[in-house]
């Protein structure tokens, strides 16, 4: 018994002195002490020489020795693994994480969403329609019959004749589609992509984006239109912007106007962007022409309405001071990365 006690304490001293600094030494330690032919197993052989009355005590000692060795081995293993010398890969939680590239919204989408949210607050609902339109919805119903000279200003890409299919030149076509449903009063904004047969330059493109608005009810007046657009400008650009209305012509509105705001660059003093006038044009508008209402089956003696339409590119260029329209469709990341999503 005494022999067993002194032998085990010798082994324990040896174990504590073992130097283990890498995975290979750790494995050698395991084989030497805990392997099938290791010292722990071999010590169990003492049992057969121990007298019966001491067997319980010897068993306890041997078991304690086994637990001591196993837990020392577990401690060494932890040490090797956390020191990174294990030869295996373990994650280091203190390293900085991988940076995942996060996209940002396209500037046109950012401004489109802002425009929509301003008008939503005024009770406008969003309405959408097809980009491939028929002649009726894009032109004829809007008081632009075949051979009307104003069609010239909105030349487009004609896909098919009889039936007449073309790429819509404005989202006013969506206004017609909604009016045809004859659910009045009607208060909608129509965002979307539109097309024109134009030579591409810094100021024109063969496609761009619009938001058009329409409000039809009883007793809607030009004063309602002015106040709505004034609110829009203040929300979009800020409180210190003035607006002015200039008489204009659109076949689908009477009277018609174009709306200017004080120049975003010089705030009205006069600069090269506003051509020294202090004003920049942002949209067209007017009171819906009675012919348009009648074309959609709406009684023009009972109902009146206003409409307006703006190019989102134009608003975006003014807001972010972008000088070339082509940048919006070139997909140059150096340009697009400058706009953070909102
Ligand atoms: N549709 C016109 C355009 O694309 C813009 C416009 C002007 C829309 C007056 C309207 C409006 O609804 O009333 O140039």
């Amino acid at each position: 018994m005494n022999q067993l006690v002194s032998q085990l304490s010798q082994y324990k001293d040896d174990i504590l002195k073992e130097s283990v600094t890498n995975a290979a030494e750790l494995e050698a330690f395991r084989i030497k002490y805990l392997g099938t032919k290791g010292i722990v197993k071999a010590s169990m052989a003492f049992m057969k020489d121990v007298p019966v009355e001491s067997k319980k005590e010897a068993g306890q000692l041997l078991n304690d020795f086994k637990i001591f060795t196993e837990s020392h081995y577990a401690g060494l293993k932890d040490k090797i693994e956390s020191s990174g010398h294990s030869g295996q890969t373990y994650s280091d939680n203190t390293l900085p994480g991988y940076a995942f590239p996060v996209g940002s919204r396209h500037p046109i989408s950012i401004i489109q969403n802002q425009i929509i949210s301003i008008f939503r607050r005024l009770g406008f609902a969003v309405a959408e329609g097809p980009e491939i339109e028929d002649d009726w919805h894009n032109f004829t119903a809007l008081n632009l019959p075949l051979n009307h000279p104003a069609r010239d200003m909105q030349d487009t890409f004609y896909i098919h004749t009889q039936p007449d299919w073309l790429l819509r030149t404005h989202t006013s076509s969506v206004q017609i589609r909604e009016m045809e449903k004859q659910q009045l009063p009607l208060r909608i904004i129509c965002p979307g992509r539109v097309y024109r047969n134009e030579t591409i330059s810094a100021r024109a493109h063969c496609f761009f984006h619009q938001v058009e608005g329409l409000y039809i009810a009883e007793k809607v007046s030009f004063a309602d239109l002015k106040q709505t657009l004034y609110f829009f400008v203040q929300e979009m650009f800020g409180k210190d912007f003035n607006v002015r209305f200039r008489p204009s012509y659109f076949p689908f509105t009477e009277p018609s106007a174009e709306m200017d705001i004080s120049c975003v660059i010089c705030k009205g003093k006069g600069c090269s962007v506003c051509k020294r006038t202090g004003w920049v044009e942002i949209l067209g508008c007017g009171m819906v022409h009675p012919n348009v209402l009648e074309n959609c089956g709406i009684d023009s003696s009972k109902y009146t309405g206003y409409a307006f339409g703006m190019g989102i590119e134009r608003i975006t260029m003014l807001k972010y001071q972008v000088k070339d329209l082509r940048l919006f469709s070139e997909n140059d990341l150096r340009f697009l990365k400058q706009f953070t999503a909102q």
Side-chain angles (χ1 to χ4, degrees):
M1 221 17 227
N2 285 346
Q3 202 196 338
L4 177 64
V5 172
S6 68
Q7 181 64 72
L8 292 181
S9 88
Q10 179 62 50
Y11 284 150
K12 281 187 184 172
D13 285 350
D14 293 346
I15 285 172
L16 291 173
K17 280 187 210 134
E18 290 283 358
S19 112
V20 171
T21 54
N22 58 39
E25 288 173 1
L26 179 71
E27 180 59 359
F29 176 98
R30 191 190 65 77
I31 292 168
K32 180 173 173 189
Y33 292 97
L34 295 165
T36 38
K37 293 179 183 155
I39 285 170
V40 170
K41 266 262 161 64
S43 316
M44 299 299 171
F46 276 108
M47 279 298 274
K48 65 176 185 321
D49 302 319
V50 174
V52 182
E53 65 280 12
S54 306
K55 275 212 192 296
K56 193 174 169 206
E57 195 193 342
Q60 191 77 56
L61 283 171
L62 285 163
N63 204 39
D64 287 348
F65 174 58
K66 184 172 173 242
I67 290 169
F68 169 84
T69 314
E70 281 172 347
S71 62
H72 191 75
Y73 170 73
L76 289 172
K77 190 166 180 242
D78 273 352
K79 201 177 91 190
I80 298 295
E81 285 175 359
S82 61
S83 72
H85 293 296
S86 61
Q88 299 176 37
T89 43
Y90 291 93
S91 61
D92 178 351
N93 295 338
T94 63
L95 286 172
Y98 294 108
F100 289 102
V102 178
S104 62
R105 281 197 203 289
H106 193 283
I108 297 293
S109 301
I110 295 174
I111 296 298
Q112 174 173 303
N113 290 345
Q114 282 177 11
I115 296 172
I116 290 173
S117 91
I118 293 169
F119 284 106
R120 272 232 171 104
R121 274 186 276 146
L122 292 174
F124 285 78
V126 173
E128 289 179 304
E131 291 180 18
I132 299 176
E133 254 309 354
D134 51 38
D135 184 277
W136 169 258
H137 291 98
N138 197 77
F139 290 128
T140 309
L142 283 157
N143 211 22
L144 268 152
L146 210 59
N147 302 323
H148 192 292
R151 283 202 183 198
D152 254 12
M153 292 188 314
Q154 297 201 8
D155 191 22
T156 185
F157 303 95
Y158 294 87
I159 295 174
H160 199 275
T161 44
Q162 291 177 344
D164 295 308
W165 289 338
L166 46 87
L167 296 185
R168 68 180 179 192
T169 57
H170 45 191
T171 56
S172 308
S173 54
V174 184
Q175 302 183 352
I176 298 296
R177 286 182 178 277
E178 292 298 314
M179 281 192 274
E180 281 173 342
K181 294 180 188 162
Q182 299 186 8
Q183 284 163 351
L184 300 174
L186 183 62
R187 203 196 308 246
I188 49 164
I189 43 167
C190 316
R193 180 176 282 194
V194 300
Y195 302 82
R196 304 256 171 116
N197 186 3
E198 301 255 6
T199 308
I200 296 169
S201 70
R203 298 174 64 87
H205 212 302
C206 58
F207 68 84
F208 60 100
H209 300 78
Q210 280 190 334
V211 174
E212 296 221 349
L214 175 72
Y215 177 39
I216 297 181
E218 288 180 46
K219 301 197 182 79
V220 176
S221 74
F222 202 91
D224 298 318
L225 169 65
K226 283 173 78 175
Q227 198 53 41
T228 304
L229 293 179
Y230 187 50
F231 175 80
F232 164 71
V233 167
Q234 296 216 320
E235 291 297 300
M236 191 73 209
F237 293 98
K239 297 282 175 219
D240 29 303
F241 282 86
N242 288 324
V243 302
R244 75 171 183 187
F245 289 81
R246 278 180 292 104
S248 183
Y249 172 76
F250 299 104
F252 30 86
T253 44
E254 182 59 36
S256 303
E258 275 168 313
M259 195 180 85
D260 299 340
I261 60 168
S262 38
C263 177
V264 292
I265 309 290
C266 64
K267 300 264 168 33
K269 291 195 197 75
C271 67
S272 63
V273 170
C274 59
K275 302 197 190 78
R276 319 261 159 236
T277 63
W279 297 96
V280 284
E281 183 205 317
I282 62 162
L283 55 81
C285 60
M287 299 306 291
V288 180
H289 197 293
N291 288 356
V292 175
L293 296 174
E294 298 293 338
N295 283 341
C296 301
I298 295 172
D299 182 354
S300 64
S301 62
K302 187 170 177 207
Y303 292 100
T304 50
Y306 64 68
F308 57 86
M310 65 187 101
I312 304 177
E313 275 80 350
R314 174 128 192 91
I315 306 286
T316 311
M317 286 168 93
L318 291 172
K319 187 97 186 173
Y320 292 127
Q321 297 175 21
V322 176
K323 294 214 168 63
D324 193 324
L325 186 69
R326 289 166 289 197
L327 286 163
F328 293 125
S329 50
E330 281 169 353
N331 285 338
D332 186 334
L333 285 180
R334 290 168 303 178
F335 172 69
L336 296 175
K337 272 182 177 170
Q338 298 173 52
F339 306 91
T340 46
Q342 285 175 16

